[in-house]
Amino acid sequence: NAGTLHIDLRQAHADSLVTEFNITARMATIRIIAPLGVAFENRMTNNIASTFDIDDTDPNPNAPRVILTGTISGSSVRIHRVSSQDKWWKRLL
């Protein structure tokens, strides 16, 4: 509640092809940084005035898929994709 959740998946190794994050947030900021090609599926329930900024680039067919579930209220969710060639200041966004 009223906090910031920062998830950085750039160096993560997935043991399965599907990973689920169940998030419950109120008045919070959720930032996820992921490599290019990772697929995201948004199944979150938006109760009141929440925003989603999900970069829907074409997923790599062999890449893992991340499913976002849970409930958010008055929160923002931002997914930013970076490539390994991006400069360090772009990776911090």
Side-chain angles (χ1 to χ4, degrees):
N1 292 330
T4 300
L5 174 63
H6 181 84
I7 301 172
D8 189 344
L9 300 175
R10 288 178 287 184
Q11 296 182 10
H13 297 281
D15 290 335
S16 68
L17 290 178
V18 177
T19 301
E20 180 178 325
F21 292 119
N22 188 327
I23 301 170
T24 302
R26 290 172 191 84
M27 304 290 292
T29 301
I30 300 156
R31 295 178 55 208
I32 301 173
I33 298 174
L36 293 174
V38 175
F40 279 88
E41 184 177 335
N42 183 10
R43 294 185 189 171
M44 298 183 90
T45 304
N46 178 4
N47 283 343
I48 301 172
S50 296
T51 60
F52 296 95
D53 181 12
I54 299 175
D55 181 3
D56 291 328
T57 57
D58 292 331
N60 184 329
N62 299 324
R65 184 167 50 117
V66 177
I67 300 173
L68 301 176
T69 61
T71 304
I72 61 172
S73 299
S75 301
S76 67
V77 177
R78 180 176 183 220
I79 296 175
H80 180 71
R81 304 192 193 251
V82 294
S83 70
S84 59
Q85 289 107 12
D86 281 346
K87 301 292 183 200
W88 66 270
W89 59 84
K90 281 190 173 181
R91 291 187 220 154
L92 295 175
L93 296 176

